[in-house]
């Protein structure tokens, strides 16, 4: 999205409102990815991917040798393991080194068998190029179709009314963008499938909401009495 902003900034593409919707988007705080090659295996039966909470800066751990052919071959040849640690939305007042030290500490909590094992190779990626999914008004974000008929947008920072995010939103808006261009040229596009975006039984939903409103106002009680009968 920062690249899109740089491309749009200073041009007369679209109209002013659209340019403003593109230019006001913010980027998320930086993320850090650390990939470590160990000459020691992880414990047998370890999960290939673990999402974590309350493990310091660590958000997840992937055993890359369980997921990728090249890493699997390396681990097999060396009797080792390839482990990737992710830290998202790193606060500005923490240094990369502090985060990396914490990631290592958290890894040893999850995989004590790697305690004291020095990696034979390490790669670190630090970037801040992800669009922020913040609390700004969703409807004000730029969507796939733009005021410029032949210009369409796709990516995870682009508004899409289907319940998708991240890679799925990037792929979905990619299809929608292609469909918009194909429509423009009078060609059929590709059908997109998603989960329902409306209630299957809208009347029941409306009735339940009305009952909830009445209960909140103290005008009625919705629930069951001690005998289990509805009241
Ligand atoms: C560490 C990390 C872990 C993630 N894990 C997950 C996950 O588990 N599940 C999930 O769904 N999503 C995940 N995501 C998010 C996912 O990667 C993104 O949602 C997705 O890649 C967004 O796709 P995109 O096409 O919008 O942007 P990108 O994938 O960033 O693609 C943009 C492309 O544009 C290219 N580019 C940049 N500037 C220019 C230029 N000037 N000219 C030409 N090309 C340019 C870039 O090289 C890049 O290839 C993760 C992201 C990160 C950073």
């Amino acid at each position: 999205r920062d690249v899109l902003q740089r491309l749009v900034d200073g041009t007369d593409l679209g109209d002013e409102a659209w340019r403003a919707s593109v230019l006001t988007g913010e980027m998320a705080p930086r993320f850090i990815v650390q990939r470590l090659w160990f000459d020691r295996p992880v414990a047998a039966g370890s999960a290939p991917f673990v999402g974590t909470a309350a493990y310091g800066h660590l958000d997840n751990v992937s055993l890359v040798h369980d997921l990728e052919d090249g890493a699997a071959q390396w681990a097999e040849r060396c009797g080792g393991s390839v482990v990737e640690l992710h830290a998202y939305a790193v606060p500005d007042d923490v240094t990369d080194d502090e985060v990396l030290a914490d990631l290592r500490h958290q890894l040893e909590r999850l995989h004590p068998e790697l305690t004291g094992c020095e990696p034979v190779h390490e790669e670190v990626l630090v970037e801040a190029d992800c669009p922020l999914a913040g609390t700004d008004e969703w409807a004000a974000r730029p969507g796939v179709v733009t005021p410029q008929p032949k210009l369409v947008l796709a990516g995870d920072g682009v508004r899409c009314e289907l319940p998708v995010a991240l890679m799925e939103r990037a792929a979905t808006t990619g299809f929608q963008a292609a469909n918009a261009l194909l429509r423009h040229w009078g060609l059929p596009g590709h059908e997109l499938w998603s989960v329902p975006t409306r209630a299957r039984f809208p009347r029941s939903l409306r009735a339940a909401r009305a009952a909830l409103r009445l209960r909140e106002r103290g005008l009625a009680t919705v629930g069951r009495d001690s005998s289990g009968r509805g009241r």
Side-chain angles (χ1 to χ4, degrees), residues 20-66:
S21 74
V22 170
L23 296 174
T24 50
E26 284 179 58
M27 304 310 287
R30 78 191 191 282
F31 65 85
I32 299 184
V33 171
Q34 182 185 34
R35 190 176 281 200
L36 300 162
W37 282 254
F38 292 108
D39 58 6
R40 195 185 291 177
V42 295
S46 299
F49 177 86
V50 172
T52 55
Y55 273 73
H57 291 290
L58 182 68
D59 283 296
N60 58 59
V61 181
S62 299
L63 302 182
V64 189
H65 58 266
D66 278 345

Side-chain angles (χ1 to χ4, degrees), residues 160-198:
C160 164
E161 305 312 340
L162 296 174
V164 288
L166 300 172
M167 270 193 266
E168 211 180 350
R169 192 184 303 144
T172 302
T173 52
F175 274 101
Q176 291 178 328
N179 283 349
L181 291 177
L182 289 168
R183 225 177 5 255
H184 186 73
W185 294 318
L187 295 167
H190 297 271
E191 216 174 331
L192 270 175
W193 286 67
S194 175
V195 295
T197 51
R198 287 183 193 172

Side-chain angles (χ1 to χ4, degrees), residues 3 31 33 86 88 130 155-156 166-167 170:
V3 175
F31 65 85
V33 171
H86 288 195
Y88 304 132
C130 298
D156 67 356
L166 300 172
M167 270 193 266

